[in-house]
Amino acid sequence: QIKDDLLEIESTEEAIGKSINSDIKNNKYTYVKAVGVGASKERLKLLYSGTLDIVDKMTDEDNEKRAKVYKEVIKYVLLRIK
């Protein structure tokens, strides 16, 4: 959700495929509104690294391929542009 809130503020309608700033226009209370853009980005990075750590701790020889997929999904959520 943090990433969605950031995209709505920082992206374009063309890039995300929907109107931007609708949360602001509708006076919605978002994480970004509560703590700001910088703190939201920092929290997103913290959640990203924490989630990767959890996957690493759960990974063994039997599920290395599955862990790699999980990590790709986690990376996509952080880096996606729409």
Side-chain angles (χ1 to χ4, degrees):
Q1 187 58 53
I2 296 171
K3 183 65 176 186
D4 286 342
D5 294 346
L6 286 167
L7 284 172
E8 184 162 318
I9 292 171
E10 297 182 322
S11 194
T12 65
E13 288 185 22
E14 295 79 22
I16 62 173
K18 64 177 190 175
S19 64
I20 57 171
N21 296 320
S22 65
D23 288 343
I24 294 170
K25 293 173 190 171
N26 294 315
N27 201 28
K28 286 188 178 179
Y29 194 74
T30 66
Y31 191 85
V32 175
K33 184 176 181 177
V35 302
V37 171
S40 295
K41 288 180 179 181
E42 287 302 314
R43 180 67 175 160
L44 190 60
K45 288 179 190 175
L46 181 66
L47 291 169
Y48 173 74
S49 63
T51 306
L52 289 178
D53 288 344
I54 291 169
V55 171
D56 283 339
K57 289 176 184 174
M58 294 173 24
T59 303
D60 59 26
E61 291 178 13
D62 295 331
N63 63 7
E64 284 183 37
K65 288 181 183 177
R66 189 177 312 150
K68 185 177 179 179
V69 172
Y70 291 155
K71 287 180 180 183
E72 288 299 316
V73 171
I74 294 163
K75 182 179 176 182
Y76 167 77
V77 169
L78 178 71
L79 300 177
R80 69 191 174 96
I81 58 170
K82 57 181 176 179

